[in-house]
Amino acid sequence: MIEQEYLWWQKEILYQIYPRSFKDSNDDGIGDLPGILQKLDYLQELGIKGVWISPFYPSPMADFGYDVSDYIGVHPMFGTIEDFDNLLKEIHNRDMKLILDFVPNHTSNEHPWFQESIKSRDDPKREWYIWKDPGPDGGPPNNWGAAFGGSGWEYDDSTGQYYYHAFLKEQPDLNWRNPEVQEAMFNAMRFWLDKGVDGFRVDVMWHMIKDDQFRDNPINPDYTEDKSPYDKYIQAYNTDQPEVHEIVKKMRNVMDEYDERVMIGEIYLPIDKLVTYYGEDNEGTHLPFNFLLVVLPWDARKIEAAVNEYEGSLPPDGWPNWVLGNHDNSRMATRVGKEQARIAAMLLLTLRGTPTMYYGDEIGMEDVEISADEVMDPQEKNIPGKGLGRDPERTPMQWDDSPNAGFSSAKPWLPIMENYQKINVANELENDNSTLNFYKKLIKLRNNEPALQVGNFIPVPSEENMFSFIREYAGKKFLIALNFGSSEEKCEPGLKDWKGKVKLATHPQKQGEEIKNLVYLGPHQGVILEIIDNQ
Ligand code: GLC
């Protein structure tokens, strides 16, 4: 039993659903809310608790839902508000939680607020967005770029000013310095919180406030041509401004009007900056998403150093979290390589902190190659050929070996992975050694062991390709030893005369093995071992 009170979002596992690609219930080739409902039992049996659904709001879909034209509705493509209510009820009936994606930095250019704002310079909604006069040369007001290519400024002929957009020109940035914007957005949050939604994942939280003097960004000396043109500059003045923390705190106050809700911030920043988003006295975001495992090279020493730095940088009550994949990054199994995928899963689910899984990783889905005429992602369309496209990691979930992998009876919006007849839920459930069954065992072990859920993290000296650590709770200790390499490695955890038993292994031959003092692991092997006797 866990003695101290921990909140659900500290103990449990979160799972991201990209709704276009999870399950299609109405045969239009695009996933929807009733489709997710059909698969709730699957998620419950997997052992996850919090379901985060990427945006399903009304949207012209320039950025596949991250361009919202109504914050308090459901796009007909995904269903109705009744479908939503039903889904939420059924999630709660299963003692699970629902986290929505909230996109506060920008709206769609089709949002009625922007439609008004663009009408005239003295429209009451003009100050809801970021409008500026042209620079001295008649061009954009400064050198800020857009993450999806080109200038961040778009000129509006009829009013003779530029508006700022950090992403597509169809995604104008809101002016969060304006109290009216704040109130309107907080009310949108309350609309869903009143319905009983358990939390938000807040899109691009670190972008929300820009420099009030609109200073030019400095040139990035490390820029190379293979990178996105956005990286030519360091985003010093358009992101991570000190005043953003006041906004985050106000958002947190809205969450705190309700019980046990969680606020997660999407923030891509170095560790020292990331942890500032917990806020002073922990009044910021509960979980600033930690993407270290996504952005770092898959190298035991580098990962170990980052884990230690992160653990050491957390504020006193800051709860850690880990992410292994999402809809913006190459799939985990592709990034780390198939042989390392189980090591990565074990790491995600045994490090201290809330883990977030990405749909399909649990069956071993990989990036799918997208031909030029199948490209959907605006990032790939605007900045082609640099490997920035996000379609490969957004392909439909593979449920069974029927046509379209049981995702839809119509042609799916993105192609299905070629080997879906083997890599799919139904098939993997039948095979004891499948990736899916491995995940199920791993999740079950984690869910049953307080040490793995909330226990202390104790670093263990390791060398070469080995990364190991201990998790401990109320005297019960687990050693996690992971071989990141392709040759045999050993782990000597620095305990005196100890014995242990393997509770879970990446490779079945190690399962149940009794170990004394030294752990030898073959290539790509990992174990979770209970230390049973230790003087
Ligand atoms: C976030 C989302 C990404 C989206 C962008 C703009 O990074 O995760 O998918 O394109 O914000 O909203």
Side-chain angles (χ1 to χ4, degrees):
M1 277 306 287
I2 303 180
E3 286 150 19
Q4 186 195 330
E5 269 305 302
Y6 286 91
L7 296 166
W8 65 270
W9 52 264
Q10 297 179 305
K11 286 183 295 201
E12 308 279 355
I13 301 168
L14 312 182
Y15 182 100
Q16 180 190 358
I17 292 181
Y18 194 67
R20 295 178 69 90
S21 296
F22 200 57
K23 171 71 187 164
D24 175 19
S25 75
N26 64 346
D27 301 327
D28 60 359
I30 297 172
D32 44 47
L33 299 183
I36 297 174
L37 180 72
Q38 287 174 20
K39 297 299 181 186
L40 286 185
D41 290 341
Y42 166 76
L43 296 173
Q44 189 179 24
E45 276 158 32
L46 187 59
I48 60 115
K49 179 83 161 193
V51 181
W52 152 34
I53 309 182
S54 283
F56 50 73
Y57 312 107
S59 158
M61 296 286 157
D63 189 21
F64 295 106
Y66 283 95
D67 48 325
V68 179
S69 55
D70 174 8
Y71 284 95
I72 54 170
V74 174
H75 194 301
M77 175 192 283
F78 293 120
T80 62
I81 198 84
E82 289 75 34
D83 290 328
F84 172 82
D85 290 338
N86 198 21
L87 180 65
L88 178 61
K89 192 177 92 216
E90 288 299 326
I91 285 180
H92 285 164
N93 280 346
R94 286 166 177 77
D95 197 24
M96 290 161 65
K97 306 281 185 182
L98 179 59
I99 297 169
L100 300 194
D101 215 307
F102 189 60
V103 190
N105 178 67
H106 44 268
T107 69
S108 158
N109 60 336
E110 292 187 18
H111 195 294
W113 299 339
F114 189 71
Q115 290 298 309
E116 282 181 46
S117 187
I118 200 172
K119 266 194 220 149
S120 77
R121 286 193 186 207
D122 43 39
D123 188 277
K125 291 269 183 322
R126 190 66 169 184
E127 298 302 315
W128 282 45
Y129 292 85
I130 301 170
W131 290 98
K132 292 290 280 178
D133 288 333
D137 60 351
N142 65 22
N143 70 1
W144 297 356
F148 294 154
S151 168
W153 295 96
E154 181 71 12
Y155 188 64
D156 171 50
D157 269 334
S158 65
T159 58
Q161 282 191 314
Y162 283 87
Y163 68 85
Y164 177 65
H165 58 91
F167 296 88
L168 296 174
K169 66 178 185 333
E170 291 84 359
Q171 294 168 296
D173 279 40
L174 281 164
N175 173 14
W176 270 88
R177 292 181 188 269
N178 182 342
E180 288 178 30
V181 168
Q182 298 179 10
E183 214 33 53
M185 293 300 274
F186 297 155
N187 284 337
M189 291 168 72
R190 290 188 185 104
F191 172 84
W192 297 106
L193 293 166
D194 285 339
K195 279 185 176 290
V197 159
D198 302 286
F200 291 111
R201 171 267 190 192
V202 180
D203 193 63
V204 296
M205 187 179 260
W206 83 113
H207 275 260
M208 289 174 66
I209 292 273
K210 344 289 167 193
D211 177 41
D212 57 358
Q213 297 170 53
F214 293 87
R215 281 167 280 192
D216 273 339
N217 278 330
I219 287 178
N220 176 3
D222 300 326
Y223 175 73
T224 45
E225 287 293 325
D226 55 318
K227 295 191 180 143
S228 163
Y230 182 62
D231 296 329
K232 276 187 186 155
Y233 298 95
I234 296 170
Q235 315 303 323
Y237 291 113
N238 53 340
T239 65
D240 193 34
Q241 298 303 294
E243 302 95 313
V244 75
H245 296 289
E246 291 161 30
I247 302 296
V248 174
K249 189 172 171 186
K250 286 186 183 175
M251 285 181 131
R252 168 65 181 272
N253 288 344
V254 175
M255 307 298 290
D256 288 348
E257 292 166 16
Y258 302 80
D259 283 344
E260 289 202 18
R261 312 296 162 102
V262 65
M263 181 162 81
I264 306 170
E266 185 209 17
I267 301 155
Y268 285 89
L269 285 175
I271 295 174
D272 58 331
K273 300 214 164 123
L274 179 69
V275 296
T276 64
Y277 284 75
Y278 284 102
E280 258 176 59
D281 301 323
N282 242 344
E283 288 174 335
T285 192
H286 296 108
L287 300 176
F289 256 154
N290 163 5
F291 297 116
L292 287 169
L293 299 181
V294 176
V295 298
L296 283 176
W298 200 248
D299 173 286
R301 294 286 67 76
K302 292 198 170 107
I303 301 253
E304 178 187 56
V307 169
N308 289 335
E309 187 190 340
Y310 179 67
E311 277 281 348
S313 308
L314 291 167
D317 291 315
W319 188 254
N321 79 92
W322 297 93
V323 179
L324 199 51
N326 60 29
H327 64 297
D328 295 327
N329 290 283
S330 189
R331 281 228 176 238
M332 174 271 274
T334 305
R335 239 177 33 240
V336 306
K338 265 194 239 182
E339 288 170 312
Q340 279 288 310
R342 290 186 185 203
I343 296 287
M346 236 181 205
L347 182 63
L348 173 74
L349 291 156
T350 58
L351 280 171
R352 190 175 78 95
T354 309
T356 302
M357 294 172 52
Y358 184 50
Y359 86 93
D361 280 355
E362 75 276 21
I363 56 170
M365 279 176 71
E366 292 169 67
D367 283 357
V368 174
E369 210 177 305
I370 307 289
S371 63
D373 57 333
E374 289 167 329
V375 171
M376 291 282 168
D377 181 19
Q379 177 155 252
E380 178 65 26
K381 286 184 179 167
N382 291 357
I383 316 171
K386 294 201 173 187
L388 296 173
R390 299 168 297 175
D391 296 324
E393 63 265 18
R394 296 177 175 179
T395 63
M397 179 71 175
Q398 296 152 203
W399 294 105
D400 58 37
D401 62 5
S402 67
N404 302 327
F407 164 71
S408 172
S409 60
K411 185 172 187 273
W413 76 289
L414 279 175
I416 307 252
M417 189 166 134
E418 250 174 23
N419 63 0
Y420 79 89
Q421 283 174 322
K422 196 169 151 245
I423 309 291
N424 64 63
V425 171
N427 187 31
E428 294 193 27
L429 283 175
E430 299 288 298
N431 169 0
D432 190 49
N433 192 31
S434 65
T435 306
L436 181 56
N437 277 322
F438 172 74
Y439 263 91
K440 284 183 109 171
K441 288 173 210 157
L442 176 56
I443 291 172
K444 195 167 167 201
L445 180 63
R446 180 191 155 95
N447 287 351
N448 286 334
E449 291 297 345
L452 297 178
Q453 284 184 302
V454 298
N456 296 332
F457 170 86
I458 305 166
V460 162
S462 341
E463 286 173 6
E464 309 282 336
N465 292 313
M466 180 74 88
F467 177 33
S468 38
F469 51 92
I470 288 173
R471 298 292 308 280
E472 184 266 337
Y473 186 85
K476 203 165 178 183
K477 280 200 185 99
F478 289 86
L479 171 72
I480 292 95
L482 306 169
N483 183 355
F484 278 57
S486 51
S487 48
E488 193 181 72
E489 301 271 346
K490 71 171 189 295
C491 162
E492 215 176 338
L495 303 167
K496 256 178 109 194
D497 242 359
W498 63 277
K499 265 195 247 152
K501 188 167 180 181
V502 174
K503 290 294 204 184
L504 186 71
T506 50
H507 294 61
Q509 63 270 28
K510 278 252 173 250
Q511 193 67 36
E513 198 175 287
E514 299 208 351
I515 286 179
K516 249 182 120 179
N517 296 336
L518 259 184
V519 189
Y520 285 98
L521 291 180
H524 311 291
Q525 280 187 352
V527 290
I528 302 175
L529 182 155
E530 185 179 347
I531 297 176
I532 36 187
D533 189 7
N534 161 34
Q535 277 117 53

